[in-house]
Amino acid sequence: MPRTLTRSHTHFAKAVQRLPLGVASNFRYWGEERTIYIKSGRGGRITDIDDNSYVDYRLGYGPAILGYADPRVDEAARAGMEMGGVFALSTEMELQVAERISRMVPAAELVRFSNSGTEAVMGALRLARGYTGKDDYVLLEGSYHGLFDAAMWHVPMHEWNRRGEPQVQPYSEGIPVSSRSFAHFVQANDANGLEEVLRQHASTIACLLIEPIMGNCLGIAADPEYLRAARALCDKYGVLLVIDEVKTGFRVARGGVQQLYDIKADICTFAKAVANGYPIAVIAGREEIMRKFGRGVAHGGTYTAHSVSLAAANRTLQILEETDALERISDYGTKLRAGMSAILKARGIAHSFVGHPSMSGLYFAAVPPRTYRDWKGSDYSFYNEMAQYLHDEGVLCEPDSREPWFICAAHDEQCLADTLRGFAKAADATIEAGAKRTKLSV
Ligand SMILES: Cc1ncc(COP(=O)(O)O)c(C=O)c1O
């Protein structure tokens, strides 16, 4: 039975009169027929306003690491609310949370808070520039670091014809052309390419800004040797290593991707999983660098370290540090991969998984990608179509194949069984639709 989206359609028609695209963020618009509005979320599932229930693998792009409305975190948040909210003055809890973060992430010698991933990365880049006195930075093809001008130069791979070099373009209108010259692009897992750029431009490059597991590009993972080489090259050329852990932080390991790879950033950023969805982000790093805040480099914000978000962060991080939540998340992700793999194999569909089991990219080619360019060699149109059927079957993934599937600690055996049932049906529906199209075209 296909879903009914009557209420979402009706609401969309009203919302679009007051809200651009009928939504609060461009990414939430899935077309007039498929944009949904959410009524509630509990554990690993969300329900839309038509009462369709979904096992959710978007989890708000990752934040709900313990599951929606986790009672332990929400209780802490309510206590945070009792404190009074926003004072634009500091509280004792900031230190408590900062100490926990430093314990979990050794590179986080000193800590500052922000409100969103974008804000944290923007602050980290400013800090790197302020500390080094240099303006340029290096980005990886396929990376996403938030919606601010410096991070909004990208390589639109869907437009690339697999010949020559893909072109760097602004992600949006409104990005000053003059900001283009600061960004240098390299491919993931290419230490020689990185060294070439650093050799030529080290005198103007402040930092390499990198996500070792690319949370917006299937979860393409850095080879450990590549990341070690990148660390060494940064040191050799006097360039800071900024690791963006907005998605991987407190998810792929207690100490994030830096623990997984045994690597230390000079500056690192965190957001999504920090407070199970309450808005808070973190800029952290080496003491000498972090002390530039207030001594030349500006950082602040009225809502920074809001008492509700901070209390939620304190409790979420405690749970992640002291319980087996992350191990359970990883186990579930491994089982999900195995179940999907069996279904696809039985249907003769080449595929592989990328990234960490807690945030898996499903890739429709047998050999997993090592660069964003590899994505062009996969059957991503099969994914795009299957995603629509998955939604109809009550499995919510991002309709864009580059977004990984996020797991939370509340995904349970029932979620897994429902997902695999829906996944098999969606795979069949996609194959059938493809076969029909082929028949029509001959
Ligand atoms: C790696 C990374 N950095 C930064 C951001 C921006 O975070 P936010 O959406 O909270 O501004 C994101 C968002 O998805 C991200 O994945």
Side-chain angles (χ1 to χ4, degrees), residues 61 116-119 121 144-146 211 216 244 246-247 271-272:
Y61 295 134
S116 69
T118 295
E119 217 187 291
V121 181
Y144 176 80
H145 298 288
E211 253 191 306
N216 301 273
D244 181 355
V246 162
K247 276 190 168 164
K272 314 274 188 190

Side-chain angles (χ1 to χ4, degrees), residues 353-436:
F353 292 97
V354 207
H356 189 265
S358 67
M359 47 183 283
S360 284
L362 169 57
Y363 179 71
F364 283 107
V367 180
R370 297 182 68 250
T371 71
Y372 187 20
R373 295 183 193 195
D374 291 342
W375 172 75
K376 273 301 261 205
S378 73
D379 189 0
Y380 55 88
S381 61
F382 185 89
Y383 184 103
N384 295 348
E385 184 162 11
M386 191 168 83
Q388 314 294 330
Y389 291 116
L390 282 165
H391 294 183
D392 290 338
E393 295 298 334
V395 179
L396 204 65
C397 59
E398 185 71 5
D400 179 334
S401 66
R402 290 164 293 187
E403 181 72 11
W405 290 47
F406 288 93
I407 313 297
C408 70
H411 281 136
D412 56 16
E413 289 300 319
Q414 193 57 54
C415 290
L416 186 63
D418 292 348
T419 303
L420 294 179
R421 196 179 316 113
F423 191 82
K425 280 189 172 175
D428 288 339
T430 314
I431 294 167
E432 205 177 302
K436 263 192 201 146

Side-chain angles (χ1 to χ4, degrees), residues 42-281:
R42 287 285 176 282
R45 297 181 192 251
I46 57 176
T47 305
D48 69 19
I49 58 173
D50 286 283
D51 281 329
N52 298 302
S53 168
Y54 307 85
V55 182
D56 187 12
Y57 293 101
R58 292 175 71 257
L59 299 175
Y61 295 134
I65 184 122
L66 299 171
Y68 292 108
D70 182 276
R72 299 160 295 180
V73 178
D74 288 353
E75 188 191 353
R78 273 191 290 275
M81 205 178 294
E82 294 302 317
M83 278 182 76
V86 61
F87 313 109
L89 285 171
S90 286
T91 62
E92 289 175 313
M93 200 182 284
E94 286 167 23
L95 176 59
Q96 204 176 327
V97 179
E99 279 176 345
R100 188 179 292 279
I101 291 171
S102 294
R103 198 163 60 234
M104 294 171 82
V105 183
E109 292 174 10
L110 262 62
V111 172
R112 272 282 174 99
F113 296 100
S114 276
N115 299 294
S116 69
T118 295
E119 217 187 291
V121 181
M122 201 157 53
L125 181 58
R126 186 184 309 120
L127 180 62
R129 285 167 152 172
Y131 178 79
T132 59
K134 299 188 275 185
D135 290 341
D136 293 5
Y137 50 95
V138 181
L139 297 174
L140 266 62
E141 289 182 3
S143 61
Y144 176 80
H145 298 288
L147 292 178
F148 64 105
D149 290 358
M152 288 175 72
W153 289 97
H154 78 142
V155 178
M157 211 54 81
H158 52 281
E159 293 174 12
W160 182 51
N161 63 7
R162 300 182 78 188
R163 284 191 297 276
E165 287 298 293
Q167 293 306 302
V168 175
Q169 286 178 26
Y171 187 75
S172 154
E173 292 176 21
I175 308 300
V177 175
S178 56
S179 63
R180 164 69 186 94
S181 62
F182 298 120
H184 301 262
F185 278 85
V186 293
Q187 290 191 63
N189 287 316
D190 177 9
N192 292 336
L194 175 62
E195 175 142 33
E196 195 48 41
V197 168
L198 295 184
R199 192 182 297 124
Q200 283 185 36
H201 303 283
S203 63
T204 56
I205 292 176
C207 64
L208 165 66
L209 174 55
I210 184 173
E211 253 191 306
I213 296 178
M214 296 169 86
N216 301 273
C217 196
L218 294 152
I220 291 175
D223 300 333
E225 316 79 68
Y226 164 74
L227 200 58
R228 274 196 297 277
R231 173 69 276 181
L233 288 170
C234 284
D235 292 341
K236 177 174 169 187
Y237 288 97
V239 163
L240 297 184
L241 177 64
V242 180
I243 297 191
D244 181 355
E245 294 229 38
V246 162
K247 276 190 168 164
T248 54
F250 310 112
R251 167 172 283 281
V252 298
R254 289 178 180 78
V257 84
Q258 296 177 76
Q259 178 185 334
L260 213 57
Y261 281 83
D262 190 22
I263 207 101
K264 257 178 145 180
D266 295 305
I267 305 173
C268 43
T269 53
F270 302 86
K272 314 274 188 190
V274 173
N276 204 44
Y278 288 91
I280 190 165

